Amino acid sequence: MRMSVIGCGYLGAVHAAAMASIGHDVVGIDVDERKVAALGAGTAPFFEPQLSELLAEGRASGRLRFSSRMADAAGAKVHFLAVGTPQLPGGHAADLRSVDAAIEGLLPHLRPDDVVAGKSTVPVGTAARLATRVSDSGATVVWNPEFLREGWAVHDTLAPDRIVVGADPDAAGAHAVDVLRDVYATAVEAGTPFLVTDLATAELVKGAANAFLATKISFINAMAEIAEASGADVGLLADALGHDSRIGRRYLGAGIGFGGGCLPKDIRAFAARAEELGRGEAVGFLHEVDAINLRRRERAVRLVVDALGGLVFGRRIAVLGAAFKPFSDDIRDSPALDVAVRLRGLGADVVVTDPAALDNAAAAHPQLGYARDRDDALREADAVVIVTEWDEYRRDLSPEHAGGLVRGRIIVDGRNCLDAAAWRAAGWQYHGMGRR
């Protein structure tokens, strides 16, 4: 099937490449000509495992191309809307200007029976508004939210755990749902649930999923605060809770909290939209979820300061990690960089290292020191902080090896990803988040 993907950031570029890999004829469209040139040359402009291979495959097959001209979307049967919806400057609501601009640019090129499939995370009610806007063209709007995890985006696109399509309950909506079922035929035939809802429910699914995930993460971090005050161990607590089939162990890892370009801004936008609908009290707890998350960054900094006896100025601190999560170079609202910047603000000599995100970090925070090699960052450090749980730090770094490089054997495990007993046995002063 011929399709366009409008917006080629993390979501759109992966979606375009993945759709081409399963046999569709795809054009990706973006206003950033440098990004278009890179993608067209088969180069991923950001770090995402397996994406470069898919881009090269799509380019070689002739099924994938990229353009900065909206006119190149003409003739596609399905137009996926994958533009960004960042947080509004000075507010918490979602900024929909890129969504509206994309629809305005697409309108002249729509034909009757075309399907506009929204994938961007938007406030509930947006799809109905856009459907009215495109109705004169004869095209149909459906909403098809994404549930991608950065670092696993290719896998999650090709083998999703569910496909949600929201549509109006009329003949045009039913036809559009059938078109989307054909788009995802490979996944549907493999047993992926294909859920059909109304437009509003499809929009709410993504916001509700992120709100629940953020709440679960902040819940265990709130328990870490109680554990620290009482002498309990939040890791053992999480293990015990995880055996309850109603709760489960996933995302009950206490640490410095979540970040990235989705979860923080999405829960704020979700709460802002609830306020607009007159139901702000229903999600008032999300404000505390956000506050708990931000407090954990402060707690990690305090652990470093206390471990150094309150004398931080001029001390060399190795910060292991810059991306907000492993297998990504995304530094948007990164807890790792937040901790690094706070320590630098206290006068520490901070040296950051990361396998993928170093260039992005250096561009955003030139006041920090950087080392491409992990061991160079560790050398002569007075303290070490693990803030992104890359395998290079949590699995491949031994306490004995690190001990031969540093000046002071102090380590703050901001992700609770290390074997505390092993590090202590090697002579390290180990500090975890909510761990004894």
Side-chain angles (χ1 to χ4, degrees):
M1 187 181 299
R2 188 175 177 188
M3 62 183 62
S4 72
V5 178
I6 303 167
C8 295
Y10 280 92
L11 166 60
V14 172
H15 193 70
M19 291 299 98
S21 77
I22 58 175
H24 298 297
D25 182 8
V26 185
V27 57
I29 297 174
D30 199 282
V31 296
D32 186 336
E33 293 190 0
R34 287 192 300 177
K35 184 187 297 180
V36 166
L39 290 167
T43 303
F46 49 84
F47 179 78
E48 182 64 41
Q50 301 179 57
L51 178 57
S52 293
E53 292 84 350
L54 281 193
L55 289 171
E57 176 188 317
R59 184 185 183 202
S61 70
R63 292 191 299 267
L64 178 63
R65 62 193 178 95
F66 293 89
S67 172
S68 59
R69 298 175 63 251
M70 188 67 82
D72 287 336
K77 177 63 178 176
V78 181
H79 306 275
F80 284 102
L81 189 63
V83 298
T85 54
Q87 191 171 316
L88 269 173
H92 286 167
D95 186 344
L96 299 179
R97 286 176 293 183
S98 293
V99 171
D100 291 330
I103 290 295
E104 289 302 314
L106 183 61
L107 277 175
H109 311 293
L110 290 175
R111 304 169 304 174
D113 293 329
D114 279 1
V115 177
V116 178
K119 297 197 74 67
S120 303
T121 303
V122 297
V124 63
T126 303
R129 177 173 64 81
L130 298 180
T132 300
R133 185 72 188 90
V134 306
S135 60
D136 289 345
S137 70
T140 303
V141 170
V142 298
W143 218 257
N144 173 217
E146 55 87 11
F147 304 104
L148 308 185
R149 300 163 296 167
E150 285 189 34
W152 296 89
V154 170
H155 172 273
D156 291 345
T157 303
L158 293 174
D161 53 15
R162 78 280 206 197
I163 298 167
V164 176
V165 179
D168 281 331
D170 55 19
H175 170 70
V177 169
D178 287 341
V179 170
L180 266 291
R181 190 176 276 110
D182 287 343
V183 167
Y184 295 117
T186 302
V188 172
E189 290 168 5
T192 299
F194 188 91
L195 309 175
V196 180
T197 74
D198 54 86
L199 288 171
T201 300
E203 291 169 306
L204 277 175
V205 169
K206 178 60 186 296
N210 278 353
F212 189 89
L213 177 57
T215 300
K216 190 171 186 180
I217 295 169
S218 280
F219 171 81
I220 199 62
N221 279 330
M223 294 303 99
E225 294 184 5
I226 303 300
E228 288 165 355
S230 64
D233 189 307
V234 75
L236 298 176
L237 173 65
D239 289 342
L241 291 173
H243 284 291
D244 189 324
S245 60
R246 299 167 299 175
I247 298 172
R249 184 61 173 83
R250 294 191 69 195
Y251 299 103
L252 282 182
I256 60 172
F258 56 81
C262 293
L263 217 55
K265 64 97 175 171
D266 285 352
I267 64 169
R268 293 164 193 158
F270 197 70
R273 182 57 176 151
E275 293 280 358
E276 293 171 355
L277 293 169
R279 293 293 184 269
E281 69 279 3
V283 292
F285 66 92
L286 289 180
H287 298 298
E288 185 57 27
V289 166
D290 199 9
I292 291 168
N293 187 56
L294 295 176
R295 280 204 304 271
R296 298 314 289 164
R297 305 176 187 191
E298 297 173 6
R299 178 57 181 160
V301 173
R302 176 50 52 189
L303 285 173
V304 176
V305 173
D306 289 348
L308 289 169
L311 302 175
V312 179
F313 188 85
R315 309 295 287 277
R316 181 179 169 92
I317 299 175
V319 175
L320 306 187
F324 86 95
K325 63 178 290 187
F327 309 111
S328 173
D329 64 352
D330 194 347
I331 63 166
R332 290 175 293 177
D333 200 6
S334 168
L337 281 178
D338 194 352
V339 168
V341 168
R342 288 171 189 248
L343 289 168
R344 179 68 180 84
L346 294 174
D349 175 18
V350 177
V351 181
V352 179
T353 188
D354 189 282
L358 219 57
D359 290 340
N360 290 343
H365 299 285
Q367 75 275 31
L368 299 174
Y370 295 96
R372 293 198 176 275
D373 183 79
R374 180 199 65 190
D375 287 0
D376 287 343
L378 290 170
R379 198 162 282 112
E380 298 301 315
D382 295 296
V384 180
V385 192
I386 293 186
V387 283
T388 309
E389 62 274 36
W390 288 95
D391 286 345
E392 287 89 334
Y393 314 142
R394 69 177 183 87
R395 187 186 66 190
D396 300 338
L397 178 62
S398 73
E400 293 79 14
H401 176 75
L405 296 169
V406 299
R407 184 162 46 223
R409 294 194 176 195
I410 295 171
I411 190 159
V412 172
D413 184 1
R415 294 296 183 181
N416 285 353
C417 59
L418 301 177
D419 182 340
W423 283 78
R424 286 177 176 140
W428 285 78
Q429 185 185 143
Y430 171 92
H431 301 275
M433 305 290 285
R435 300 175 75 177
R436 281 201 306 272

